[in-house]
Amino acid sequence: MRAARLMNDDEKQREKHVTGATIWLTGLPSAGKTTIAYELADRLRADGHRTEVLDGDEIREFLSAGLGFSREDRHTNVQRIGFVAELLASNGIKALVPVIAPYEDSRESVRKRHQTEGTAYLEVHVATPVEVCSVRDVKGLYAKQAAGEIKGLTGVDDPYEEPQNPDLRIESHTQTVQESAAALHALLTERGLA
């Protein structure tokens, strides 16, 4: 019987670089999810990690074209994104997912898929208050909702169920993008993923 060989430091570092994970950033529109995801992606890539950002707007345009914003369509969208993220993560990629995913049951379903497959999954709540998001209004959604041009804006006239036990809560309105990304990077390091 052969004894298991212990990995040296270089081998451990290489192993971290090929260990995939899904990092789901949930929060209101204009909370800062995508900005933080891209900042973290740059940092991870600079450290040699294979990283992809699954931007919610791009997914809606290509993978979920034709879906609306009903509860059922939002659930379908989240499940599609969760499937792709798990597929990437199970193949050694850090999948950063800045997607609202307003319903707890949808997010939990994605988490369970990852658990079943043995793939690392972290839920990050970018907990920016709606008052701050409406001032940022990156896409002009809050202004359109206030003018009556759109209905069903998450966190305003459509529900957003805040995560009760996220792996990390980021209050992006109290820190810089770099500080938010650094906090998330520290969590990945603590979990042996960065």
Side-chain angles (χ1 to χ4, degrees), residues 125-156:
H125 181 204
V126 183
T128 309
V130 69
E131 299 80 21
V132 175
C133 294
S134 65
V135 170
R136 289 180 181 172
D137 205 8
V138 177
K139 299 173 198 160
L141 298 174
Y142 293 93
K144 287 179 182 176
Q145 191 277 337
E149 296 173 25
I150 62 170
K151 292 186 188 299
L153 181 59
T154 303
V156 178

Side-chain angles (χ1 to χ4, degrees), residues 60-138:
R60 275 218 172 255
E61 182 178 350
F62 298 105
L63 184 63
S64 294
L67 288 180
F69 292 91
S70 68
R71 183 180 177 105
E72 295 77 22
D73 282 356
R74 289 175 189 257
H75 179 77
T76 298
N77 185 49
V78 168
Q79 297 315 298
R80 288 178 182 177
I81 297 168
F83 174 80
V84 172
E86 195 285 322
L87 186 64
L88 291 170
S90 68
N91 283 283
I93 296 170
K94 305 292 189 300
L96 307 180
V97 186
V99 173
I100 295 170
Y103 300 108
E104 182 68 35
D105 61 342
S106 296
R107 294 190 304 265
E108 187 57 28
S109 177
V110 171
R111 180 187 293 278
K112 285 181 180 173
R113 171 188 294 279
H114 282 71
Q115 288 172 338
T116 299
E117 298 299 325
T119 306
Y121 177 88
L122 301 173
E123 183 179 74
V124 178
H125 181 204
V126 183
T128 309
V130 69
E131 299 80 21
V132 175
C133 294
S134 65
V135 170
R136 289 180 181 172
D137 205 8
V138 177

Side-chain angles (χ1 to χ4, degrees), residues 15-16 33 147 158:
E15 181 67 21
K16 284 183 195 176
K33 302 176 299 295
D158 210 52

Side-chain angles (χ1 to χ4, degrees), residues 23-26 31-45 51-56 94-99 124 126 170 172 177-178 180-182 184-185 188:
I23 300 95
W24 197 293
L25 293 91
T26 178
K33 302 176 299 295
T34 302
T35 305
I36 293 167
Y38 278 107
E39 180 72 23
L40 178 62
D42 288 345
R43 184 169 180 172
L44 289 170
R45 288 181 186 125
T51 306
E52 289 295 333
V53 177
L54 299 180
D55 183 286
K94 305 292 189 300
L96 307 180
V97 186
V99 173
V124 178
V126 183
I170 293 174
S172 71
V177 171
Q178 294 76 18
S180 295
L184 187 41
H185 190 272
L188 291 172

